[in-house]
């Protein structure tokens, strides 16, 4: 009787593991599927001319260079604003702030900021940056809008990385006559940097792929030349994809998939960089 | 000569866990003063008052004063950075900073503004020799310090404090995680160090207290029960509680 019971238990254990493994594999399936499908459909459209040329014939032919460059500008613009601000906020929360009502309020605000739909950020950006501050529909306004959207991701991952640095390092550093800031700069930030970078890249990656926040703040339907200053509007990959998929009649389908493929590679490429940084840092870490 | 004079020191953490009650004692230069007793007696807390490391934790009330060379270090105007360079500390768990052996040694000096390479190199060699680890690491100073064994790391931590040329060295159970051989090396190093420094040690056992103490103070639940020269305290304790503890009746 006892034997049968234990056999049963092993069987249940195996079934359970099998089921969990299956579930895990199933979650990978859609991602792999998306990549393969987009690659198969889009690859024929991608050529040197496609990557380095301007669209012509009402965007039904030619390349997507201005959209690629535009997304690059927006990503850099977002980084310029969100990285210093986000990392500074994370340092404050992790290293200086004690657990008061104010810091709890800040944390709640950050969590809620992350939950706001991106189109709402877009409208907010339109109201504040485009109209009130009179930046116009521009790279500047769009970058600022994307920055606000990206901040929660950067702050929370950076704070997490900072907190992961062992407290003992701080105590030892202070006991050797270091100030708090010297300790942060020389030990804590150095050790948390890979984690912070990973968070930054993941945040920027999301910004690079967003359409709604730039819709009203900086994205242009079509521009015959590259933007010359931060106050110019710009084309951008996600918005361009939206435009050619919905606004242009008789659009050749492979250009849509080609554009999607470029955007996918842009984002996955950033992801890859983040992964490499993380695994390298993990191998080098001394704690 | 008295290096440190503690007068009526009282201290409590904000959560009320560990406290010190009305401690008064004088600590002499060029001697090893041992603070011992059961866990939670306030030894570490007292040690952390001496370099104001308690500033990092939530301390509710401090009464009394601690005079270092006649100056009250609990005064709010005290330069804690300068104080911590003067009063170095070795912790129970060896914590090497995530950098090379050499950088661990020069960290404090560089923060203090020392840039001359000759001075830094000189300090590295001198302090590693004092901590009895020079021979073991002299050919691998640029290796990560974390690669060393626990016993070696703890002597690196000691050397790191010595590199700052402090006046007082605080050691909080510095050998608690070490094997007997490493422990012996640290204890031998302490005997050398007391010739130049004021050494205050929280030992990890009564035996170590007996072996190392020039002066010994027995702490029980935040109270200083008995304080005397080591020999008298361990052979003829005056207080019954001290006697019970050192003869192993409790703790």
């Amino acid at each position: 009787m006892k034997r049968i019971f234990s056999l049963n238990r092993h069987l249940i254990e195996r079934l359970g593991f099998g089921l969990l493994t299956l579930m895990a594999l199933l979650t990978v399936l859609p991602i792999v599927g998306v990549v393969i499908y987009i690659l198969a459909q889009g690859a024929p459209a991608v050529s040197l001319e496609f990557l380095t040329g301007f669209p012509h014939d009402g965007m039904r032919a030619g390349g997507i260079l201005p959209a690629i460059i535009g997304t690059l500008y927006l990503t850099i613009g977002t980084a310029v604003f969100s990285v210093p601000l986000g990392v500074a906020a994370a340092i404050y929360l992790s290293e200086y702030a004690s657990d008061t009502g104010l810091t709890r309020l800040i944390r709640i605000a950050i969590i809620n900021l992350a939950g706001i739909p991106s189109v709402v950020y877009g409208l907010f950006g339109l109201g504040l940056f485009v109209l009130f501050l009179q930046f116009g529909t521009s790279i500047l306004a769009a970058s600022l809008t994307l920055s606000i959207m990206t901040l929660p991701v950067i702050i929370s991952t950076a704070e997490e990385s900072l907190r992961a640095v062992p407290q003992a390092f701080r105590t030892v550093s202070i006991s050797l006559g270091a100030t708090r800031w010297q300790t942060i700069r020389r030990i804590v930030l150095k050790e948390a940097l890979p984690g912070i970078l990973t968070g930054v890249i993941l945040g920027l990656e999301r910004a690079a792929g967003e359409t709604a926040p730039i819709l009203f703040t900086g994205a242009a339907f079509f521009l015959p030349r590259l933007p010359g200053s931060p106050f110019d509007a710009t084309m951008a990959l996600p918005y361009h994809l939206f435009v050619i998929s919905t606004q242009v009649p008789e659009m050749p389908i492979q250009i849509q998939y080609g554009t999607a493929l470029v955007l996918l590679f842009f984002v996955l490429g950033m992801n890859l960089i983040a992964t490499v940084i993380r695994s390298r840092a993990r191998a080098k870490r001394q704690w | 000569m008295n290096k440190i004079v503690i007068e009526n020191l009282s201290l409590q953490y904000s959560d009320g866990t560990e406290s010190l009650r009305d401690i008064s004692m004088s600590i002499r230069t060029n001697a090893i003063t041992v603070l011992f007793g059961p866990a939670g007696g306030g030894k570490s807390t007292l040690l952390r008052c001496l370099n104001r490391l308690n500033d990092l934790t939530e301390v509710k009330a401090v009464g009394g004063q601690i005079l270092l060379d006649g100056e009250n270090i609990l005064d709010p105007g005290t330069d804690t950075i300068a104080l911590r360079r003067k009063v170095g500390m070795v912790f129970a768990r060896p914590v090497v900073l995530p950098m090379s052996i050499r950088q661990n040694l020069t960290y404090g000096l560089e923060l203090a503004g020392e840039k001359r390479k000759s001075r830094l190199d000189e300090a590295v060699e001198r302090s590693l020799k004092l901590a009895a680890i020079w021979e073991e690491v002299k050919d691998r100073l640029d290796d990560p310090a974390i690669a060393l064994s626990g016993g070696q790391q703890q002597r690196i931590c000691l050397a790191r404090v010595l590199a700052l040329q402090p006046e007082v060295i605080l050691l909080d159970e510095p050998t608690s995680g070490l094997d007997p051989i490493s422990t012996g090396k640290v204890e031998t190093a302490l005997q050398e160090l007391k010739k130049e420094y004021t050494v205050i040690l929280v030992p990890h056992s009564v035996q170590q207290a007996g072996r190392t103490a020039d002066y010994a103070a027995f702490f029980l639940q935040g109270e200083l029960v008995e304080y005397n020269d080591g020999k008298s305290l361990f052979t003829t304790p005056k207080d019954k509680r001290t006697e019970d503890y050192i003869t192993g009746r409790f703790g």
Side-chain angles (χ1 to χ4, degrees):
Chain A
M1 187 64 205
K2 201 177 173 190
R3 217 188 119 114
I4 295 168
F5 186 71
S6 82
L7 241 164
N8 240 340
R9 216 166 39 188
H10 283 298
L11 198 68
I12 290 170
E13 174 97 348
R14 274 192 170 174
L15 269 173
F17 268 126
L19 209 65
L20 290 174
T21 312
L22 192 71
M23 297 291 208
L25 287 175
L26 273 178
T27 60
V28 181
L29 217 59
I31 302 166
V32 176
V34 165
V35 173
I36 290 175
Y37 183 70
I38 299 285
L39 200 65
Q41 297 283 319
V46 179
S47 63
L48 193 65
E49 200 238 325
F50 185 70
L51 295 174
T52 59
F54 275 71
H56 49 78
D57 294 342
M59 294 196 275
R60 290 183 193 87
I64 54 166
L65 178 71
I68 297 176
I69 298 289
T71 289
L72 210 60
Y73 282 169
L74 288 175
T75 310
I76 293 169
T78 306
V80 165
F81 296 114
S82 64
V83 173
L85 198 61
V87 173
I91 291 175
Y92 171 74
L93 286 175
S94 155
E95 306 298 317
Y96 287 100
S98 46
D99 192 27
T100 62
L102 177 70
T103 55
R104 250 170 281 160
L105 200 70
I106 294 175
R107 273 176 230 276
I108 290 170
I110 291 167
I111 292 166
N112 282 301
L113 229 64
I116 295 176
S118 56
V119 68
V120 176
Y121 281 111
L123 275 172
F124 174 75
L126 173 70
L128 179 63
F129 302 123
V130 178
L131 300 175
F132 182 71
L133 293 174
Q134 299 189 337
F135 293 154
T137 307
S138 61
I139 294 178
L140 180 66
S143 298
L144 285 166
T145 309
L146 287 171
S147 296
I148 297 177
M149 191 195 76
T150 312
L151 268 177
V153 182
I154 295 183
I155 294 174
S156 41
T157 47
E159 194 193 347
E160 213 173 292
S161 317
L162 290 167
R163 283 187 189 279
V165 177
Q167 195 58 41
F169 288 167
R170 298 178 178 84
T171 313
V172 164
S173 175
I174 298 280
S175 81
L176 289 169
T179 62
R180 268 192 175 190
W181 176 241
Q182 285 172 326
T183 303
I184 292 167
R185 199 166 52 87
R186 289 182 164 241
I187 311 272
V188 183
L189 263 185
K190 198 183 109 207
E191 295 302 306
L193 196 62
I196 293 175
L197 274 180
T198 308
V200 163
I201 293 174
L202 291 178
L204 291 180
E205 179 188 309
R206 196 185 149 204
E210 276 289 350
T211 311
I214 59 173
L215 194 59
F216 322 115
T217 54
F221 185 81
F222 172 74
L223 287 171
R225 71 188 82 80
L226 295 176
S229 92
F231 293 100
D232 289 347
T234 181
M235 293 176 73
L237 281 171
Y239 183 63
H240 185 64
L241 185 58
F242 166 73
V243 163
I244 61 177
S245 308
T246 60
Q247 313 290 304
V248 183
E250 291 163 50
M251 187 71 203
I253 194 124
Q254 66 266 32
I255 292 193
Q256 293 171 25
Y257 279 109
T259 308
L261 183 62
V262 172
L263 180 58
L264 194 67
F265 262 85
F266 196 90
V267 171
L268 287 183
M270 288 173 77
N271 220 331
L272 188 71
I273 296 170
T275 311
V276 169
I277 291 175
R278 201 166 36 204
S279 59
R280 276 207 183 163
R282 217 171 261 165
K284 256 178 58 186
R285 189 150 74 181
Q286 300 179 14
W287 36 276
Chain B
M1 202 186 91
N2 289 332
K3 183 72 179 171
I4 298 171
V5 178
I6 301 168
E7 288 172 351
N8 307 105
L9 180 71
S10 293
L11 186 145
Q12 208 169 14
Y13 283 107
S14 56
D15 58 355
T17 41
E18 203 181 40
S19 59
L20 291 171
R21 274 196 308 278
D22 201 22
I23 307 292
S24 294
M25 65 189 288
S26 303
I27 293 169
R28 302 184 67 84
T29 40
N30 302 114
I32 299 178
T33 301
V34 156
L35 316 176
F36 76 107
K43 305 156 295 182
S44 292
T45 309
L46 178 57
L47 219 52
R48 282 163 177 256
C49 284
L50 299 179
N51 65 351
R52 290 274 302 267
L53 211 57
N54 276 332
D55 288 12
L56 301 181
T57 42
E58 304 274 316
V59 179
K60 203 204 266 174
V62 182
Q65 50 183 7
I66 299 175
L67 304 171
L68 174 68
D69 295 326
E71 270 181 63
N72 183 14
I73 60 168
L74 296 184
D75 190 286
T78 302
D79 178 357
T80 52
I81 306 293
L83 172 70
R84 288 173 192 143
R85 285 187 186 128
K86 218 196 268 191
V87 183
M89 183 159 196
V90 177
F91 299 86
R93 210 162 54 87
V95 177
V96 292
L97 295 170
M99 37 180 90
S100 73
I101 296 172
R102 187 196 305 277
Q103 286 166 328
N104 261 280
L105 272 285
T106 57
Y107 183 75
L109 280 175
E110 281 174 12
L111 291 179
E114 183 60 74
K115 288 192 184 73
R116 288 164 293 184
K117 192 168 180 308
S118 59
R119 286 291 180 89
L120 293 172
D121 286 345
E122 190 264 335
V124 168
E125 183 170 343
R126 178 183 51 78
S127 45
L128 285 172
K129 279 179 175 163
L130 264 172
I133 190 165
W134 170 250
E135 288 302 322
E136 291 164 60
V137 299
K138 64 179 179 188
D139 298 322
R140 48 197 283 212
L141 290 176
D142 294 308
D143 287 3
I146 196 78
L148 299 171
S149 75
Q152 290 172 325
Q153 283 186 31
Q154 192 59 300
R155 278 174 287 150
I156 293 291
C157 293
L158 177 58
R160 188 172 58 192
V161 167
L162 298 176
L164 281 168
Q165 294 196 284
E167 294 168 20
V168 181
I169 301 169
L170 312 172
L171 304 110
D172 190 358
E173 304 192 23
T175 57
S176 60
L178 304 188
D179 60 88
I181 293 171
S182 299
T183 301
K185 284 180 179 169
V186 172
E187 285 180 12
T188 312
L190 293 186
Q191 294 302 330
E192 280 303 307
L193 292 178
K194 75 175 184 192
K195 292 172 187 163
E196 275 184 70
Y197 305 94
T198 303
V199 178
I200 305 173
L201 169 73
V202 173
H204 82 265
S205 65
V206 183
Q207 288 79 358
Q208 187 175 45
R211 278 197 303 271
T212 51
D214 293 314
Y215 298 91
F218 177 60
F219 283 83
L220 189 62
Q221 290 169 350
E223 213 178 307
L224 175 57
V225 175
E226 189 168 347
Y227 181 38
N228 209 335
D229 68 274
K231 197 173 263 173
S232 311
L233 192 134
F234 286 106
T235 51
T236 53
K238 291 193 186 74
D239 194 291
K240 180 84 173 66
R241 290 169 294 176
T242 316
E243 187 183 339
D244 284 351
Y245 186 72
I246 59 180
T247 52
R249 250 168 245 154
F250 78 96

Short mmCIF file of all heavy atoms in Angstrom, two decimals, chain B residues 68-108:
data_model
loop_
_atom_site.label_atom_id
_atom_site.label_comp_id
_atom_site.label_asym_id
_atom_site.label_seq_id
_atom_site.Cartn_x
_atom_site.Cartn_y
_atom_site.Cartn_z
N LEU B 68 38.23 62.18 23.88
CA LEU B 68 39.41 61.62 23.21
C LEU B 68 40.47 62.70 23.26
O LEU B 68 40.27 63.77 22.68
CB LEU B 68 39.05 61.25 21.77
CG LEU B 68 40.21 60.78 20.88
CD1 LEU B 68 40.75 59.43 21.32
CD2 LEU B 68 39.78 60.72 19.42
N ASP B 69 41.55 62.43 23.95
CA ASP B 69 42.57 63.45 24.20
C ASP B 69 41.95 64.74 24.75
O ASP B 69 42.30 65.85 24.35
CB ASP B 69 43.34 63.79 22.91
CG ASP B 69 44.15 62.59 22.41
OD1 ASP B 69 44.63 61.82 23.27
OD2 ASP B 69 44.27 62.43 21.19
N GLY B 70 40.94 64.55 25.60
CA GLY B 70 40.34 65.70 26.27
C GLY B 70 39.22 66.38 25.51
O GLY B 70 38.59 67.30 26.02
N GLU B 71 38.95 65.94 24.29
CA GLU B 71 37.87 66.58 23.53
C GLU B 71 36.66 65.67 23.42
O GLU B 71 36.80 64.49 23.10
CB GLU B 71 38.36 66.95 22.12
CG GLU B 71 38.97 68.33 22.04
CD GLU B 71 39.41 68.65 20.62
OE1 GLU B 71 38.54 68.71 19.75
OE2 GLU B 71 40.63 68.81 20.42
N ASN B 72 35.49 66.23 23.67
CA ASN B 72 34.27 65.42 23.64
C ASN B 72 33.86 65.11 22.20
O ASN B 72 33.41 65.97 21.46
CB ASN B 72 33.14 66.17 24.34
CG ASN B 72 31.86 65.34 24.39
OD1 ASN B 72 31.90 64.11 24.16
ND2 ASN B 72 30.75 65.97 24.70
N ILE B 73 34.02 63.84 21.81
CA ILE B 73 33.73 63.47 20.42
C ILE B 73 32.24 63.35 20.16
O ILE B 73 31.82 63.22 19.02
CB ILE B 73 34.44 62.16 20.02
CG1 ILE B 73 33.98 61.01 20.90
CG2 ILE B 73 35.95 62.33 20.06
CD1 ILE B 73 34.41 59.65 20.38
N LEU B 74 31.42 63.36 21.22
CA LEU B 74 29.97 63.29 21.00
C LEU B 74 29.39 64.66 20.70
O LEU B 74 28.23 64.79 20.35
CB LEU B 74 29.28 62.69 22.22
CG LEU B 74 29.63 61.23 22.53
CD1 LEU B 74 28.81 60.71 23.70
CD2 LEU B 74 29.41 60.34 21.31
N ASP B 75 30.24 65.69 20.83
CA ASP B 75 29.80 67.05 20.51
C ASP B 75 29.32 67.09 19.05
O ASP B 75 29.98 66.56 18.16
CB ASP B 75 30.99 67.99 20.71
CG ASP B 75 30.58 69.44 20.64
OD1 ASP B 75 30.30 69.92 19.52
OD2 ASP B 75 30.52 70.07 21.70
N PRO B 76 28.16 67.71 18.81
CA PRO B 76 27.63 67.74 17.43
C PRO B 76 28.59 68.38 16.43
O PRO B 76 28.53 68.08 15.24
CB PRO B 76 26.36 68.60 17.56
CG PRO B 76 26.02 68.62 19.01
CD PRO B 76 27.29 68.41 19.76
N GLY B 77 29.47 69.25 16.90
CA GLY B 77 30.39 69.93 15.99
C GLY B 77 31.62 69.10 15.64
O GLY B 77 32.47 69.53 14.86
N THR B 78 31.71 67.87 16.18
CA THR B 78 32.88 67.05 15.91
C THR B 78 33.02 66.73 14.42
O THR B 78 32.03 66.40 13.76
CB THR B 78 32.77 65.72 16.68
OG1 THR B 78 32.64 66.02 18.07
CG2 THR B 78 34.00 64.85 16.46
N ASP B 79 34.22 66.84 13.90
CA ASP B 79 34.50 66.44 12.51
C ASP B 79 34.62 64.91 12.49
O ASP B 79 35.66 64.35 12.80
CB ASP B 79 35.81 67.10 12.06
CG ASP B 79 36.19 66.68 10.64
OD1 ASP B 79 35.48 65.84 10.05
OD2 ASP B 79 37.20 67.20 10.14
N THR B 80 33.52 64.25 12.10
CA THR B 80 33.50 62.79 12.19
C THR B 80 34.45 62.14 11.19
O THR B 80 34.97 61.05 11.43
CB THR B 80 32.08 62.23 11.96
OG1 THR B 80 31.57 62.76 10.74
CG2 THR B 80 31.16 62.59 13.09
N ILE B 81 34.68 62.82 10.06
CA ILE B 81 35.61 62.28 9.07
C ILE B 81 37.01 62.18 9.68
O ILE B 81 37.66 61.13 9.63
CB ILE B 81 35.66 63.19 7.82
CG1 ILE B 81 34.25 63.42 7.26
CG2 ILE B 81 36.59 62.62 6.76
CD1 ILE B 81 33.58 62.23 6.68
N ALA B 82 37.45 63.28 10.29
CA ALA B 82 38.77 63.30 10.92
C ALA B 82 38.82 62.31 12.08
O ALA B 82 39.81 61.60 12.27
CB ALA B 82 39.10 64.71 11.41
N LEU B 83 37.72 62.23 12.82
CA LEU B 83 37.66 61.31 13.95
C LEU B 83 37.86 59.87 13.49
O LEU B 83 38.62 59.11 14.09
CB LEU B 83 36.30 61.44 14.67
CG LEU B 83 36.03 60.40 15.76
CD1 LEU B 83 36.92 60.64 16.97
CD2 LEU B 83 34.56 60.41 16.18
N ARG B 84 37.19 59.50 12.39
CA ARG B 84 37.27 58.11 11.93
C ARG B 84 38.64 57.78 11.34
O ARG B 84 39.02 56.61 11.29
CB ARG B 84 36.15 57.84 10.91
CG ARG B 84 34.79 57.77 11.59
CD ARG B 84 33.66 57.68 10.61
NE ARG B 84 32.38 57.90 11.32
CZ ARG B 84 31.36 58.55 10.81
NH1 ARG B 84 31.42 59.05 9.59
NH2 ARG B 84 30.25 58.69 11.50
N ARG B 85 39.35 58.79 10.89
CA ARG B 85 40.73 58.53 10.46
C ARG B 85 41.61 58.29 11.67
O ARG B 85 42.59 57.55 11.61
CB ARG B 85 41.26 59.72 9.65
CG ARG B 85 40.66 59.74 8.27
CD ARG B 85 41.27 60.78 7.35
NE ARG B 85 40.49 60.77 6.12
CZ ARG B 85 39.95 61.85 5.56
NH1 ARG B 85 40.17 63.04 6.08
NH2 ARG B 85 39.24 61.74 4.47
N LYS B 86 41.26 58.92 12.78
CA LYS B 86 42.06 58.81 14.00
C LYS B 86 41.70 57.54 14.76
O LYS B 86 42.53 56.94 15.44
CB LYS B 86 41.78 60.04 14.87
CG LYS B 86 43.02 60.57 15.58
CD LYS B 86 42.62 61.50 16.68
CE LYS B 86 42.57 62.96 16.21
NZ LYS B 86 42.43 63.87 17.38
N VAL B 87 40.41 57.13 14.65
CA VAL B 87 39.93 55.95 15.37
C VAL B 87 39.46 54.93 14.35
O VAL B 87 38.34 54.99 13.85
CB VAL B 87 38.78 56.34 16.33
CG1 VAL B 87 38.33 55.14 17.13
CG2 VAL B 87 39.20 57.47 17.25
N GLY B 88 40.33 53.98 14.02
CA GLY B 88 40.02 53.00 12.98
C GLY B 88 39.26 51.82 13.54
O GLY B 88 39.28 51.56 14.75
N MET B 89 38.58 51.08 12.64
CA MET B 89 37.76 49.96 13.12
C MET B 89 37.88 48.73 12.23
O MET B 89 37.85 48.82 11.01
CB MET B 89 36.30 50.41 13.19
CG MET B 89 35.38 49.34 13.75
SD MET B 89 33.86 50.10 14.36
CE MET B 89 33.22 48.79 15.36
N VAL B 90 38.00 47.58 12.88
CA VAL B 90 37.98 46.30 12.18
C VAL B 90 36.72 45.57 12.62
O VAL B 90 36.44 45.46 13.81
CB VAL B 90 39.23 45.46 12.51
CG1 VAL B 90 39.16 44.10 11.83
CG2 VAL B 90 40.49 46.21 12.11
N PHE B 91 35.97 45.06 11.64
CA PHE B 91 34.66 44.47 11.94
C PHE B 91 34.74 42.96 12.10
O PHE B 91 35.74 42.33 11.75
CB PHE B 91 33.67 44.80 10.82
CG PHE B 91 33.45 46.28 10.65
CD1 PHE B 91 34.30 47.04 9.86
CD2 PHE B 91 32.41 46.91 11.32
CE1 PHE B 91 34.10 48.40 9.71
CE2 PHE B 91 32.21 48.28 11.18
CZ PHE B 91 33.06 49.03 10.38
N ALA B 92 33.64 42.39 12.60
CA ALA B 92 33.60 40.95 12.86
C ALA B 92 33.77 40.16 11.56
O ALA B 92 34.56 39.23 11.49
CB ALA B 92 32.30 40.58 13.54
N ARG B 93 33.00 40.55 10.55
CA ARG B 93 33.11 39.84 9.29
C ARG B 93 34.12 40.59 8.44
O ARG B 93 34.00 41.80 8.29
CB ARG B 93 31.74 39.83 8.59
CG ARG B 93 31.49 38.62 7.73
CD ARG B 93 29.99 38.49 7.45
NE ARG B 93 29.43 39.72 6.88
CZ ARG B 93 29.43 39.99 5.56
NH1 ARG B 93 29.98 39.17 4.71
NH2 ARG B 93 28.88 41.10 5.12
N PRO B 94 35.13 39.91 7.90
CA PRO B 94 36.06 40.64 7.05
C PRO B 94 35.36 41.14 5.80
O PRO B 94 34.82 40.34 5.04
CB PRO B 94 37.14 39.61 6.70
CG PRO B 94 36.55 38.29 7.01
CD PRO B 94 35.47 38.49 8.03
N VAL B 95 35.30 42.45 5.64
CA VAL B 95 34.68 43.02 4.44
C VAL B 95 35.75 43.76 3.65
O VAL B 95 36.13 44.86 4.00
CB VAL B 95 33.53 43.98 4.78
CG1 VAL B 95 32.97 44.60 3.51
CG2 VAL B 95 32.44 43.25 5.53
N VAL B 96 36.28 43.10 2.61
CA VAL B 96 37.20 43.82 1.73
C VAL B 96 36.34 44.54 0.70
O VAL B 96 35.30 44.06 0.29
CB VAL B 96 38.20 42.88 1.03
CG1 VAL B 96 39.17 42.30 2.04
CG2 VAL B 96 37.49 41.77 0.27
N LEU B 97 36.79 45.73 0.32
CA LEU B 97 36.06 46.48 -0.69
C LEU B 97 36.30 45.84 -2.05
O LEU B 97 37.33 45.20 -2.27
CB LEU B 97 36.51 47.94 -0.67
CG LEU B 97 36.17 48.68 0.63
CD1 LEU B 97 36.84 50.04 0.69
CD2 LEU B 97 34.67 48.82 0.80
N PRO B 98 35.33 45.94 -2.96
CA PRO B 98 35.44 45.25 -4.24
C PRO B 98 36.47 45.88 -5.16
O PRO B 98 36.14 46.48 -6.18
CB PRO B 98 34.02 45.36 -4.83
CG PRO B 98 33.46 46.59 -4.20
CD PRO B 98 34.08 46.71 -2.85
N MET B 99 37.73 45.77 -4.79
CA MET B 99 38.83 46.33 -5.58
C MET B 99 40.09 45.53 -5.26
O MET B 99 40.01 44.53 -4.55
CB MET B 99 39.00 47.81 -5.27
CG MET B 99 38.77 48.19 -3.82
SD MET B 99 38.97 49.94 -3.44
CE MET B 99 37.34 50.58 -3.67
N SER B 100 41.22 45.95 -5.78
CA SER B 100 42.44 45.17 -5.55
C SER B 100 42.92 45.32 -4.11
O SER B 100 42.46 46.18 -3.37
CB SER B 100 43.53 45.63 -6.51
OG SER B 100 44.01 46.90 -6.10
N ILE B 101 43.88 44.45 -3.74
CA ILE B 101 44.46 44.52 -2.40
C ILE B 101 45.05 45.90 -2.18
O ILE B 101 44.79 46.57 -1.17
CB ILE B 101 45.55 43.43 -2.25
CG1 ILE B 101 44.93 42.04 -2.36
CG2 ILE B 101 46.29 43.59 -0.93
CD1 ILE B 101 45.93 40.91 -2.43
N ARG B 102 45.82 46.36 -3.16
CA ARG B 102 46.48 47.67 -3.03
C ARG B 102 45.45 48.79 -2.86
O ARG B 102 45.58 49.64 -1.98
CB ARG B 102 47.35 47.93 -4.26
CG ARG B 102 48.20 49.18 -4.16
CD ARG B 102 48.73 49.63 -5.51
NE ARG B 102 49.45 48.59 -6.21
CZ ARG B 102 50.74 48.30 -5.98
NH1 ARG B 102 51.41 48.97 -5.09
NH2 ARG B 102 51.33 47.34 -6.66
N GLN B 103 44.39 48.73 -3.69
CA GLN B 103 43.37 49.79 -3.61
C GLN B 103 42.64 49.78 -2.27
O GLN B 103 42.28 50.83 -1.74
CB GLN B 103 42.36 49.63 -4.75
CG GLN B 103 42.94 50.06 -6.09
CD GLN B 103 42.07 49.59 -7.25
OE1 GLN B 103 41.44 48.55 -7.18
NE2 GLN B 103 42.05 50.37 -8.31
N ASN B 104 42.45 48.57 -1.71
CA ASN B 104 41.86 48.49 -0.39
C ASN B 104 42.71 49.24 0.63
O ASN B 104 42.20 49.93 1.50
CB ASN B 104 41.72 47.03 0.05
CG ASN B 104 40.32 46.49 -0.17
OD1 ASN B 104 39.43 46.74 0.64
ND2 ASN B 104 40.13 45.79 -1.27
N LEU B 105 44.02 49.08 0.48
CA LEU B 105 44.93 49.70 1.44
C LEU B 105 45.00 51.21 1.27
O LEU B 105 45.12 51.95 2.24
CB LEU B 105 46.35 49.10 1.25
CG LEU B 105 46.71 47.85 2.03
CD1 LEU B 105 46.96 48.19 3.47
CD2 LEU B 105 45.67 46.76 1.95
N THR B 106 44.94 51.69 0.01
CA THR B 106 45.13 53.12 -0.23
C THR B 106 43.82 53.90 -0.21
O THR B 106 43.84 55.13 -0.24
CB THR B 106 45.81 53.36 -1.60
OG1 THR B 106 45.01 52.76 -2.61
CG2 THR B 106 47.20 52.77 -1.63
N TYR B 107 42.69 53.18 -0.13
CA TYR B 107 41.37 53.82 -0.22
C TYR B 107 41.25 55.01 0.75
O TYR B 107 40.97 56.14 0.33
CB TYR B 107 40.29 52.79 0.07
CG TYR B 107 38.88 53.30 -0.04
CD1 TYR B 107 38.30 53.52 -1.27
CD2 TYR B 107 38.10 53.57 1.10
CE1 TYR B 107 37.00 53.99 -1.39
CE2 TYR B 107 36.81 54.03 0.99
CZ TYR B 107 36.26 54.24 -0.25
OH TYR B 107 34.97 54.70 -0.36
N GLY B 108 41.48 54.74 2.02
CA GLY B 108 41.32 55.80 3.03
C GLY B 108 42.29 56.95 2.83
O GLY B 108 41.92 58.12 2.98
#
